[in-house]
Amino acid sequence: MTAIPQTTSDYNAFLKLMTAQMKYQDPLAPLDATQFVTQLAQFSQVEQSVQMNGKLDNLTSAIANLSSQTAVSLIGRQVEVQGNTVTLKDGSASFAVTLDDTPEQAVYVIADAQGNIVRHGEFTYSGDRHVIDWDGKNNNGVAVDEGAYRIEVIAADENGNSIPARTFIKQTIAQVIQSGGTTSVLLDNGQTIDVNADMRIS
């Protein structure tokens, strides 16, 4: 059942009341002209409110459609976002790392869907964004299957204190999803992100 907007309901009720008032007014004491003009002014204000409400609904719908149409043009484009799942394809994959401080030791770990570690290694972080390229092989030099792999970075300072790390991945936008008035994009690793999220598109 569709609910009737409050403004429209008040508008219709006002019309009924005004019509009834004019129909059943006392012929010997007709409605005062001043009161009638005041009620007409009120009627005009209610009508303008209804029209404005409709225009706002149309504007909201137009903005949502524009956002969706803009997002559709992103399909097939590469995007870099914060995440911990990298896709191994054509024997290679890469991800970027940022740390809050320069570590004494930093290690990356790559695990398969079952949580088995397939590759790990140390890297030197120079205080800037660091890119790690993976050749798709495990630590024994054997190529592993293509697909999604989980990545993790563990870093510590000279006192052994953990340093927060963030990993960024490049993925291809596979699909645009619009639901509940919001637009999101589905990446080829299965991750879904809001179209307004912080990301780099290339």
Side-chain angles (χ1 to χ4, degrees), residues 162-173:
S162 177
I163 298 176
R166 287 167 296 281
T167 53
F168 298 84
I169 55 174
K170 274 191 176 182
Q171 296 292 325
T172 301
I173 297 176

Side-chain angles (χ1 to χ4, degrees), residues 9-21:
S9 177
D10 292 344
Y11 173 71
N12 292 332
F14 182 86
L15 283 177
K16 291 180 180 179
L17 287 173
M18 187 173 179
T19 302
Q21 184 180 19

